[in-house]
Amino acid sequence: MKTTLLTEITVREICDGFVYNEFEGKGLFGLGGRLTIQPEYQRNYIYADGKKDVAVIESVLKGYPLGLIYFNKVAENRFEVLDGQQRITSLGRYLTGKFAIKDDNDIPQYFSGLAEDLQQKILDTKLLIYECEGTESEIKEWFKTINIAGIPLNEQELRNAIFSGPFVTRCKEVFSNSNNANIQKWSAYISGTVNRQDYLACALDWVSKGHIEHYMSQHRYDTTIDEVTRYFNTVIDWISSVFLDVESEMRGLEWGRLYETYHTAPYNAAAISQRVQELYADPYVKNRKGIFEYLLGGEVQTSLLLVRVFDEATKKSVYKQQTLQAEQEGISNCPLCALGHEANRTKIWKIGDMDADHVTAWSKGGATDIHNCQMLCKSHNRAKGNK
Ligand SMILES: [Zn+2]
């Protein structure tokens, strides 16, 4: 890859013909139309919180360096911003009157109202720009490794960069668009934020069964995303038809996998709803996030709930009592071994070879206290299962 350092390009030139798309929140063009500020593979504009925008302008006015900016030369006299898009957008937005800075007297100053010498100072500021020229894969490989002042790209932002094209563009219109009215509903089940691509990552994860990059690579040049949206909506509809109440622990669960595993089974939503409430009220349930899969699976896999276990003192006490009695009777201290006809019938196990067991299973209402505790040898405990 060939790189050239450019030191003579000014803010005036960069912002010549600056266009800002209010709806998408991104800067589009500069350098009199020869510069694409936000190529498809760039993240959404994240500076528009009012603070970082202002910080960029204040840095320029104080003569502080803005840091390196990278351009990708895509054709003769045509460039894309590889890194620095947010800084350039802040400059362009200020020059076009999109926000104000505060002066020394705390009075808001738009660019048009600035003293002329300050206007000139901004316009004449020279930026430090690396112009890079290489193949698409070289540029993208390099793009993947840069991690400059701004917020580092997360995994999905990187994938959007690597597989940029019409498919990513269409996906972002639906799943990375905070103006999408469905986001509110989706946020009951999906964690993260829209503009950091968390919803898109989720939609792609579901439809691809976890093979996001493979899927993006296969569909990179598709101009429609029907399969993604159809699958996504199917999963969302399934969740909300099985679970009538929205609980905060539902956010961020592996709904794609749960849908694939359980969607062919019938569920009684009213009964499920009642069980959700009961399990939420059960003090022995330590992991509420596990409640949903536990119910989907027919209340078999208790381990999902991390039901409270017996503490060491209880185990020791029960072991001692059980062993004493077994020795007197000449039988095994594992009550199940004692019932058998094999060599273990009289075996006295060490405490380390035994596990605590609920006599009455937790799922049948058995409590996790000493009166409901028995020690079993490990193999009998395992055989009794995790119920
Ligand atoms: Zn046993």
Side-chain angles (χ1 to χ4, degrees):
M1 187 167 70
K2 196 178 130 200
T3 56
T4 316
L5 184 62
L6 311 172
T7 57
E8 295 300 314
I9 298 183
T10 61
V11 169
R12 184 198 315 272
E13 290 168 281
I14 289 286
C15 295
D16 177 22
F18 176 79
V19 177
Y20 180 71
N21 180 323
E22 200 74 50
F23 182 70
E24 292 185 63
K26 63 189 197 180
L28 300 179
F29 306 107
L31 271 182
R34 291 180 293 122
L35 177 68
T36 301
I37 295 174
Q38 184 150 17
E40 269 169 18
Y41 50 78
Q42 282 276 15
R43 64 160 73 88
N44 287 0
Y45 182 60
I46 300 175
Y47 273 20
D49 60 359
K51 290 184 198 136
K52 288 180 180 163
D53 269 334
V54 168
V56 168
I57 304 308
E58 286 175 348
S59 297
V60 171
L61 284 171
K62 288 175 181 159
Y64 299 161
L66 277 189
L68 273 173
I69 285 172
Y70 293 84
F71 283 1
N72 173 27
K73 185 172 177 182
V74 288
E76 202 51 41
N77 249 334
R78 298 278 313 176
F79 308 94
E80 288 178 348
V81 179
L82 268 178
D83 195 72
Q85 159 249 353
Q86 304 191 2
R87 282 163 283 170
I88 291 175
T89 302
S90 292
L91 290 166
R93 272 164 46 81
Y94 187 64
L95 263 53
T96 52
K98 298 290 189 296
F99 66 96
I101 59 168
K102 296 253 177 84
D103 68 11
D104 294 341
N105 301 313
D106 225 23
I107 294 169
Q109 294 287 359
Y110 286 89
F111 180 75
S112 57
L114 271 191
E116 196 167 338
D117 60 316
L118 295 180
Q119 287 189 354
Q120 290 305 324
K121 181 164 187 181
I122 293 175
L123 292 171
D124 293 339
T125 295
K126 288 174 180 168
L127 300 172
L128 215 49
I129 296 167
Y130 257 119
E131 178 194 295
C132 310
E133 210 178 337
T135 63
E136 191 181 3
S137 46
E138 274 176 336
I139 297 282
K140 282 176 181 169
E141 186 53 40
W142 175 82
F143 186 73
K144 212 172 149 177
T145 62
I146 55 169
N147 175 8
I148 317 208
I151 307 157
L153 296 178
N154 64 29
E155 265 183 89
Q156 186 56 41
E157 287 169 336
L158 275 174
R159 291 186 203 115
N160 290 355
I162 294 162
F163 302 109
S164 70
F167 178 77
V168 164
T169 304
R170 292 285 297 115
C171 279
K172 287 174 79 173
E173 282 166 13
V174 177
F175 295 103
S176 316
N177 174 4
S178 45
N179 293 307
N180 183 335
N182 289 316
I183 298 287
Q184 174 79 24
K185 180 186 178 188
W186 298 346
S187 69
Y189 314 119
I190 296 169
S191 57
T193 58
V194 174
N195 65 0
R196 292 306 305 270
Q197 312 302 325
D198 295 318
Y199 285 62
L200 175 55
C202 178
L204 291 170
D205 178 57
W206 291 358
V207 73
S208 70
K209 323 284 188 285
H211 303 286
I212 299 182
E213 301 197 348
H214 190 75
Y215 190 87
M216 289 183 80
S217 161
Q218 270 183 332
H219 294 275
R220 181 170 179 185
Y221 297 106
D222 291 4
T223 49
T224 62
I225 59 164
D226 295 349
E227 188 182 50
V228 183
T229 48
R230 200 180 321 117
Y231 191 90
F232 184 84
N233 289 328
T234 304
V235 175
I236 295 282
D237 290 346
W238 174 75
I239 305 170
S240 55
S241 67
V242 176
F243 297 103
L244 302 178
D245 317 294
V246 171
E247 306 288 351
S248 59
E249 283 80 4
M250 296 173 102
R251 283 192 90 198
L253 295 183
E254 295 172 63
W255 289 114
R257 178 181 63 77
L258 296 178
Y259 171 78
E260 282 298 317
T261 312
Y262 299 108
H263 79 273
T264 52
Y267 294 98
N268 176 336
I272 292 269
S273 172
Q274 193 191 334
R275 286 298 288 140
V276 169
Q277 297 316 316
E278 285 166 5
L279 290 168
Y280 262 77
D282 189 324
Y284 294 110
V285 172
K286 281 204 301 188
N287 180 35
R288 289 178 160 181
K289 279 184 174 293
I291 288 175
F292 306 94
E293 182 166 14
Y294 174 70
L295 293 176
L296 290 170
E299 307 208 19
V300 175
Q301 223 185 322
T302 314
S303 58
L304 290 166
L305 303 177
L306 298 177
V307 170
R308 228 172 68 200
V309 295
F310 296 105
D311 59 44
E312 289 307 310
T314 302
K315 286 188 209 168
K316 268 189 193 152
S317 164
V318 170
Y319 173 82
K320 206 169 161 186
Q321 200 199 345
Q322 233 173 265
T323 304
L324 202 67
Q325 198 172 342
E327 280 168 350
Q328 283 169 5
E329 296 176 21
I331 54 170
S332 172
N333 60 347
C334 166
L336 295 182
C337 285
L339 296 175
H341 301 285
E342 294 130 41
N344 288 346
R345 200 164 61 86
T346 56
K347 178 158 181 144
I348 298 295
W349 299 92
K350 291 188 186 130
I351 189 165
D353 296 324
M354 302 184 92
D355 280 322
D357 173 60
H358 286 78
V359 180
T360 303
W362 165 84
S363 56
K364 305 264 190 312
T368 306
D369 65 27
I370 196 161
H371 307 294
N372 192 38
C373 178
Q374 66 177 348
M375 298 299 284
L376 296 179
C377 74
K378 282 188 189 290
S379 55
H380 271 124
N381 189 57
R382 215 172 297 126
K384 201 178 161 191
N386 203 10
K387 294 185 185 180

